[in-house]
Amino acid sequence: MKDEAYGTLRASAALWAGTSVLITNRRGQVLLQRVGYRPTRLLPGGAVDKGESPARGAARELKEELGVAAAVTRGLAVDWVSPAGRAAPPVMRFPGELLHVFDGGVWDEDRIAAVRPAPGEIEGIEFAEPADLPSLMSPGDARRVLSALRARINGAGPVFLEDGLPIAPTVLDRVGALGTARACHHLPFHPGPVPAGLTVRQSWVWAFAPDGRVLLLFEPDTGAPCLPGGTAEPEDGGDPLVTAVRECREEATAELGETHYLGYLSDPSGPRARVRYAAVLTSLGEAAVDPATGQTYVRVLATPEQALEFFDWGPSEAAEQLAAAHRGRTLLGIPEAVHPQPITEIVRPTTWERPARTGSRIP
């Protein structure tokens, strides 16, 4: 085929090209734009101009729409939006689109306050919980943003999507992580012992594998996350560590080695405390049904920083707990995990050999 004929053929199969930017605040909520020409919310972005790269287009759109100058260098997703995947009027003759999603990072309050929405185009911005995206955006846009957000947390590089869904789903996609509303627990963390007069209601564990990652559990039907641990029972004899060890066994068939107390969360709704431990994760057995919930949890290893992305603990409160978890990791003699790295599902029984050290207390 001659060049002219080849060019004509390729031109007849031309696609639209779009670009967008995923930005979150320190609570993990997604920046959305309100526009006058659509009833649904949008990420910052738009069409790629002729001769323009998607990354340059993303930076241009940020400047034009929000008045923010920023370099855009990290891609999160490339989505093939099919003609059937977008509700476009027939008169538009929509041929399909390749839509790029770039990482705009985490914005603090000062940067958010500097936003200047483009008059006549952007009516305003808002930050939305990931689970609320399907009610605020078009179905395809919401799928794309959730897929890109999971890719950012997962740290395995950009993902390829078709109508918003990954062609190679990760464990986060399979469980629908962030698709369920995150519990808002902005509770102050205290590194000292639980004061007299406070009842320890719950015990939770940062259970560290030898590579510095921690055990995280997802409900298989909702994707709701939790650290291993749970509510005290009479058979625990009032010992919060016994509660933590028992719950780890029941929820995840997880066995713990050396443990260190980290502190507690005070509960403003009553005279109760929720304690936190750091522990060595020594083994995981066959996945089993948790007798308390009837769930067989999906078990993954994630860096502590990745684990925090799935909870709404408040920026300062989460930072305090993360610092305490790393102090515990250091006391346990476990190295800091490389961050980010792909989140790994544990599907088979696994044992990590590590001798207990002096000072461990394992009920």
Side-chain angles (χ1 to χ4, degrees):
M1 185 179 294
K2 294 183 178 180
D3 288 349
E4 181 179 358
Y6 183 70
T8 300
L9 176 63
R10 293 299 299 268
S12 70
L15 301 172
W16 290 6
T19 190
S20 60
V21 185
L22 174 63
I23 298 160
T24 57
N25 61 14
R26 293 180 62 209
R27 287 181 59 187
Q29 298 169 318
V30 178
L31 186 151
L32 300 179
Q33 297 183 152
R34 300 188 303 274
V35 297
Y37 55 88
R38 274 199 188 184
T40 54
R41 308 293 192 261
L42 300 171
L43 290 184
V48 175
D49 288 345
K50 184 177 180 179
E52 183 180 52
S53 74
R56 289 184 180 275
R60 173 183 53 76
E61 290 285 352
L62 275 181
K63 182 64 175 176
E64 292 177 357
E65 295 183 339
L66 300 182
V68 175
V72 177
T73 59
R74 182 188 177 198
L76 295 177
V78 178
D79 189 12
W80 155 240
V81 184
S82 71
R86 177 170 175 174
V91 69
M92 292 178 67
R93 295 186 294 175
F94 177 61
E97 182 174 22
L98 287 177
L99 206 159
H100 299 252
V101 184
F102 290 92
D103 189 359
V106 179
W107 286 13
D108 59 21
E109 293 301 320
D110 290 341
R111 198 169 194 189
I112 294 169
V115 168
R116 298 293 181 267
E121 180 182 4
I122 310 301
E123 296 180 345
I125 66 168
E126 61 192 56
F127 283 89
E129 277 290 307
D132 292 336
L133 296 177
S135 66
L136 297 170
M137 310 184 80
S138 70
D141 287 352
R143 290 193 299 268
R144 182 184 314 111
V145 176
L146 280 171
S147 294
L149 184 57
R150 292 170 187 144
R152 183 169 87 170
I153 295 170
N154 193 46
V159 294
F160 293 93
L161 314 175
E162 293 183 357
D163 289 328
L165 297 176
I167 61 175
T170 67
V171 61
L172 300 182
D173 300 307
R174 294 196 303 273
V175 302
L178 298 173
T180 297
R182 301 181 299 168
C184 182
H185 290 152
H186 295 194
L187 305 178
F189 178 78
H190 310 275
V194 177
L198 290 187
T199 300
V200 176
R201 176 64 176 162
Q202 295 173 320
S203 296
W204 303 92
V205 183
W206 293 88
F208 284 92
D211 66 355
R213 292 188 291 173
V214 294
L215 178 64
L216 185 65
L217 309 179
F218 288 102
E219 293 184 0
D221 54 345
T222 67
C226 64
L227 291 176
T231 303
E233 300 292 348
E235 62 265 30
D236 299 334
D239 188 332
L241 183 55
V242 172
T243 298
V245 172
R246 174 185 54 77
E247 287 285 349
C248 286
R249 287 171 179 158
E250 291 179 355
E251 290 179 340
T253 63
E255 294 295 333
L256 305 180
E258 182 180 351
T259 62
H260 282 282
Y261 173 79
L262 299 178
Y264 71 96
L265 305 173
S266 54
D267 191 337
S269 66
R272 295 184 292 272
R274 309 178 187 190
V275 301
R276 293 287 192 263
Y277 290 95
V280 174
L281 179 64
T282 61
S283 69
L284 289 172
E286 290 281 358
V289 175
D290 176 14
T293 65
Q295 300 271 10
T296 301
Y297 290 100
V298 176
R299 306 170 299 177
V300 305
L301 293 180
T303 68
E305 291 76 11
Q306 286 171 317
L308 282 183
E309 297 278 2
F310 301 103
F311 303 102
D312 182 9
W313 288 349
S316 60
E317 295 88 347
E320 291 171 355
Q321 288 198 57
L322 180 63
H326 279 303
R327 287 195 295 271
R329 174 189 56 74
T330 300
L331 290 171
L332 294 168
I334 293 175
E336 185 173 1
V338 175
H339 176 78
Q341 60 177 295
I343 292 174
T344 304
E345 182 179 6
I346 307 298
V347 296
R348 296 182 179 85
T350 303
T351 299
W352 293 276
E353 295 294 337
R354 188 175 188 274
R357 303 190 309 171
T358 302
S360 63
R361 176 172 172 246
I362 311 165

